[in-house]
Amino acid sequence: MSTLVALAVIFTQLSLLAFGGGNTILPEMQRQVVEVHRWMSAQDFSALFALAQAAPGPNMMVVPLVGWHVAGWPGLLVSSIAKFGPSSILTGVVLGLWRRFKDRPWRKVVQAGLVPMTVGLVVASAWLITEATTTEWLLGAITAAVAGLSAATKLHPLWLLSGGAIAALVLL
């Protein structure tokens, strides 16, 4: 299977599985591009994710970066269309049905069930990125402290990120 076809298959599948936002598919995206196809290292994937998060725009900017890293401009186009096309169409269809059945009791049950699933997937994504980038125990401690502060306080994430970066610069 050519690389472009593989990119199309992977990102089409991920597109249709992204419940609760794009970050929920990060573990499977990383598994596919790092472990299954060996197109990059876990550190390369984490670096692309960090670059994508630093750029303005949607939080799934990592998808075109992965496609570009794997197969250049054709990879960027194929991965982007495969990731954003099917989910956009599906969202339009499901949104129409969601509105149509807005008064049905099962709708609240489905919605309540999706919340813990989404939280679990986001936590798995955070763990995966942390695991790939934490090379020393002190980095792990700083990451844990920032995550704990984020969960326990209402501090703006930029303050937390700045504090974590300064702590790493001072302590490492």
Side-chain angles (χ1 to χ4, degrees), residues 82-150:
K83 168 61 183 80
F84 302 115
S87 60
S88 297
I89 293 168
L90 183 62
T91 298
V93 170
V94 170
L95 189 59
L97 292 172
W98 201 246
R99 287 183 186 149
R100 181 175 174 198
F101 298 114
K102 68 180 179 185
D103 298 326
R104 301 291 172 102
W106 58 262
R107 184 181 145 167
K108 290 182 180 177
V109 173
V110 169
Q111 194 167 346
L114 290 174
V115 171
M117 183 179 81
T118 301
V119 169
L121 290 169
V122 169
V123 169
S125 298
W127 180 260
L128 184 137
I129 295 296
T130 301
E131 190 176 53
T133 57
T134 303
T135 54
E136 298 179 29
W137 71 268
L138 192 53
L139 282 175
I142 292 169
T143 302
V146 171
L149 284 171
S150 176

Side-chain angles (χ1 to χ4, degrees), residues 23 34 72 80-81 112 124 165:
N23 285 340
V34 172
S80 297
I81 291 168

